Amino acid sequence: MVPMNPPLEPFEALQDSVLGEIAARGGVRQYPANTILITENDSSDSLYIILSGRVKVYAANAAGKEVILNTLGAGEYVGELALDGGARSASVMTLEPTRCAVVSGVNLREFIVAHPDFAQHLILKLIARLRRLTGSVKSLALEDVYSRVVGLLQVMSEPVGEHRVVGRRLTQQEIAEHVGASREMVSRIFKDLVIGGYLQVQSGHITILRKPPAAW
């Protein structure tokens, strides 16, 4: 799966008051960067509310090759699919020091019953995930690597003056994991776009100087 949608959910993050209520039903824990919170195929059912920091949701094969399915930040949550009692569908790792409220499946189910607004938020999140996965399948089936790279840069960047700027530092390896390609292929695409005057890359910070061509 190759996510070509924005890394954050397209609806508002949980309000601080709701976060506080959920956190009160679980323990708040601090994790260093590169800590695995959830392992694919695990049977745990805890929900992780991200209070600060950032995590990546990813899948990997036996050879260690990864594809990033999503990145999430403060005010968002991960692990909700375990509510059905099934195994974890993906792994989750912190990208930086991260503080989470960890809520057990039992407490989460009780909270959902008592808070219909949170249930609605959860439904919207699951709908957004389905749409993201649909877009991923379409992108993988119908677009080449160049188009996926350009599309990812477009959705992860914002207008700044006359250009578009990717707000956070991205390595070519991370981009490759987002679009389901090799780092070498991404490197060749970046080299051509920089030489052509379409991109500027400084210390991992990417600026789109002008709209890249439709095809490479």
Side-chain angles (χ1 to χ4, degrees):
M1 293 178 286
V2 184
M4 295 305 299
N5 296 303
L8 300 180
E9 303 297 345
F11 50 88
E12 292 184 0
L14 287 174
Q15 295 180 357
D16 289 343
S17 58
V18 178
L19 282 174
E21 288 188 58
I22 300 178
R25 292 175 174 256
V28 177
R29 302 178 188 173
Q30 183 78 33
Y31 300 96
N34 302 317
T35 298
I36 296 177
L37 305 181
I38 294 173
T39 301
E40 188 176 356
N41 295 321
D42 190 11
S43 60
S44 64
D45 65 352
S46 295
L47 181 79
Y48 291 78
I49 312 290
I50 304 169
L51 304 177
S52 65
R54 195 162 53 90
V55 306
K56 71 174 180 179
V57 183
Y58 67 99
N61 61 15
K65 183 177 180 181
E66 294 183 4
V67 58
I68 297 176
L69 305 175
N70 205 354
T71 56
L72 302 170
E76 298 177 293
Y77 50 90
V78 64
E80 71 281 359
L81 290 187
L83 280 170
D84 68 351
R88 297 291 194 180
S89 59
S91 298
V92 179
M93 175 186 287
T94 60
L95 294 172
E96 57 192 53
T98 300
R99 190 166 61 97
C100 296
V102 184
V103 183
S104 70
V106 172
N107 286 337
L108 177 60
R109 293 181 186 92
E110 292 176 353
F111 189 85
I112 290 173
V113 172
H115 296 77
D117 288 348
F118 177 73
Q120 182 180 20
H121 192 280
L122 181 59
I123 291 170
L124 290 174
K125 180 182 175 70
L126 295 176
I127 291 172
R129 175 172 290 185
L130 177 60
R131 286 178 174 163
R132 176 180 295 107
L133 293 179
T134 300
S136 299
V137 173
K138 289 171 60 179
S139 175
L140 184 60
L142 303 177
E143 296 181 349
D144 57 19
V145 176
Y146 170 83
S147 297
R148 299 202 297 270
V149 169
V150 170
L152 179 69
L153 294 178
Q154 183 69 23
V155 299
M156 296 189 75
S157 62
E158 296 181 352
V160 177
E162 298 179 354
H163 308 308
R164 294 185 65 88
V165 176
V166 177
R168 65 181 182 87
R169 186 179 182 277
L170 274 179
T171 66
Q172 292 182 359
Q173 180 61 42
E174 286 180 298
I175 292 171
E177 290 171 357
H178 270 290
V179 302
S182 68
R183 187 193 62 78
E184 291 76 15
M185 175 62 77
V186 172
S187 178
R188 288 198 293 270
I189 292 171
F190 263 63
K191 181 179 179 181
D192 287 350
L193 289 173
V194 170
I195 292 174
Y198 298 99
L199 291 186
Q200 181 182 66
V201 183
Q202 294 181 327
S203 301
H205 295 283
I206 303 167
T207 300
I208 303 174
L209 301 175
R210 56 195 178 104
K211 185 177 180 180
W216 180 51

